């Protein structure tokens, strides 16, 4: 029997020429940039388990959302607990934060790079296991904090060279605003129920706000005249929302207000956003997030405001390749050590380990190949130098180190290799 990866999941190999975005050196590059930026923005890394109690996600993301009602990988463990592979990162971070009693040392800012699991219809940009870089800021209710979160996401895209992005921005107001708006929407859609798509007719009963998100043609027509949430915002919410926009403009972040942006998770209040690119096909959302001021309390904690975002690494990498941004080269060895003969082999083996522990990337092939083949291989691997060690070199301890791009040879004593390489690297 031949085993294959399951639908909607994929392997990340050192290099994948057919699907370059699945090459691990590119993932490392993106992750490294995300880590550096997080540090600069004062977000600290948090790692939570891959699975949690199902109830955590049902309570936070919302029973009526697609994620909870259709997409979770839920199973019972041997202790008869209902567990779920995390479909998103926010709820687990809150669980860990409350469990460790960190609510007493606010504010706190966390980031994570983790895999998420959703049983979705797999297609380009949409997978059953995807990877998110996410950030969560607990304890500050300020438009500056919302803008900082959006800025962190945009800074990552910018650092990676992504272009043509737009932040789609909305404000969902607080609970009372949403309740009034909810009623207004139900009245509006109930009157034109028959013209809605089947899916939206169902949503009208369980989660009418989500109709605003529909991409179906019959709904798009109905949505044109739908009431806008912005008309229901109280003065405080409006002032807050205007200030978020003020900061974004000052940061030169391109955004547009989209009153129909509602997001697929139920925990948001106030500011919500998605970062959109036209270069991803149907899955145009590169990242998204927003404020969730009541979620920590809902999960058993005190009343602590919070805001965060998550961005899919698959979508970032695919957009980088579509947009032809300049990419890093795969890492290559600094030196290829080429032994000629058994004695030289032992010497090279020890030398390789000494140099590696000193921080140099060293290639040595254990197949004892001919000089020609070994040189060819060093070239193919793009090693910067080749060092051939034969009987004569063992005796004199004098070696030639060859620069493979220029062909130039430098004679050095074996004892001086480390200073030479330190200078060269
Ligand atoms: P989300 O919008 O569901 O939000 O996911 C965030 C990002 O993850 C999306 O914009 C997309 O790039 C990526 N993504 C989601 N599902 C998939 C998938 N099936 N395949 C590939 N990529 C995907 C959240 O998960 C929230 N927890 C974000 C957040 C953090 N809000 C506040 N804090």
């Amino acid at each position: 029997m031949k085993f294959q990866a399951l639908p909607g999941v994929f392997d990340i190999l050192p290099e994948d020429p057919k699907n370059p975005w699945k090459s691990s050196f590119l993932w490392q590059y993106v992750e490294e940039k995300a880590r550096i930026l997080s540090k600069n923005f004062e977000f600290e890394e948090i790692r939570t388990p891959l699975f949690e109690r199902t109830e955590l996600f049902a309570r936070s993301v919302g029973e009526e959302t697609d994620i909870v009602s259709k997409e979770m990988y839920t199973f019972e463990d041997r202790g008869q607990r209902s567990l779920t592979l995390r479909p998103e990162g926010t709820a687990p971070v809150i669980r860990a934060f409350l469990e460790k009693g960190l609510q007493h040392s606010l504010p706190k800012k966390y980031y994570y790079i983790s895999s998420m699991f959703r049983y979705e219809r797999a297609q380009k940009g949409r997978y059953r296991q995807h990877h998110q870089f996410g950030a969560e800021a607990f304890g500050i209710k300020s438009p500056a904090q919302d803008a900082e979160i959006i800025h962190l996401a945009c800074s990552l895209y910018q650092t990676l060279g992504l272009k043509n992005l737009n932040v789609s921005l909305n404000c969902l107001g607080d609970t009372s605003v949403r309740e009034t708006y909810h009623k207004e929407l139900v009245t509006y859609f109930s009157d034109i129920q028959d013209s809605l798509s089947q899916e939206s007719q169902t949503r009208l009963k369980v989660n009418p706000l989500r109709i605003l998100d529909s991409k179906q043609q019959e709904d798009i027509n109905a949505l044109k005249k739908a009431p806008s949430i912005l008309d229901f915002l109280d003065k405080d919410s409006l002032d807050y929302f205007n200030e978020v926009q003020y900061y974004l403009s000052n940061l030169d972040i391109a955004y547009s207000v989209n009153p129909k942006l509602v997001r697929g998770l139920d925990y948001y209040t106030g500011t919500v956003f998605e970062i959109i690119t036209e270069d991803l096909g149907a899955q145009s959302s590169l990242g998204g997030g927003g404020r969730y001021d009541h979620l920590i309390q809902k999960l058993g904690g005190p009343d602590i405001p919070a805001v965060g975002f998550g961005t899919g690494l698959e979508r970032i990498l695919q957009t980088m390749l579509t947009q032809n941004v300049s990419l890093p080269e795969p890492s290559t060895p600094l030196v290829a050590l080429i032994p000629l003969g058994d004695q030289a082999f032992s010497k090279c083996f020890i030398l390789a380990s000494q140099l590696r522990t000193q921080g140099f990337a060293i290639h040595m092939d254990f197949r004892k190949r001919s000089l020609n083949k070994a040189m060819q291989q060093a070239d193919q691997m793009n090693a910067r130098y080749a060092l051939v060690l034969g009987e004569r070199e063992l005796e004199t301890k004098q070696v030639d180190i060859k620069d493979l791009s220029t062909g130039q040879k430098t004679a050095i004593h074996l004892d001086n290799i480390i200073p030479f390489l330190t200078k060269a690297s």
Side-chain angles (χ1 to χ4, degrees), residues 209-223:
L209 230 67
R210 295 286 298 160
I211 301 177
L212 297 176
D213 223 18
S214 171
K215 307 279 181 298
Q216 315 241 22
Q217 197 50 48
E218 54 264 61
D219 297 333
I220 290 174
N221 292 337
L223 282 170

Side-chain angles (χ1 to χ4, degrees), residues 88 90 118 120 125 127 132 136 263 267-268 286-287 308-309 312:
E88 65 99 46
T90 310
R118 298 181 190 178
E120 299 209 62
Y127 304 94
Q132 272 187 34
E136 317 288 349
R263 310 267 303 128
Y267 49 62
Y268 293 110
L286 210 50
F309 84 96

Side-chain angles (χ1 to χ4, degrees), residues 62-115:
E63 300 268 11
E64 272 94 44
T65 59
D66 284 354
I67 295 179
V68 172
S69 64
K70 301 188 211 158
E71 297 170 358
M72 294 208 300
Y73 278 90
T74 297
F75 58 98
E76 200 172 84
D77 76 356
R78 287 168 194 268
Q80 277 78 54
R81 302 172 195 89
S82 176
L83 305 181
T84 293
L85 300 187
R86 68 173 165 234
E88 65 99 46
T90 310
V93 173
I94 296 176
R95 200 260 317 129
F97 164 83
L98 292 176
E99 192 176 329
K100 297 288 179 307
L102 293 162
Q103 61 270 33
H104 304 300
S105 53
L106 290 171
K108 281 271 173 225
K109 301 203 289 186
Y110 299 109
Y111 84 91
Y112 47 87
I113 299 176
S114 326
S115 16

Side-chain angles (χ1 to χ4, degrees), residues 9-16 19-24 26-27 127 321:
V9 299
F10 55 89
D11 301 303
I12 302 170
L13 299 175
E15 269 187 85
D16 187 337
N19 291 294
W21 69 271
K22 292 182 188 165
S23 305
S24 62
L26 290 179
W27 284 72
Y127 304 94
L321 284 147

Side-chain angles (χ1 to χ4, degrees), residues 59 80 323 363:
R59 224 195 277 171
Q80 277 78 54
Q323 293 190 350
H363 168 72

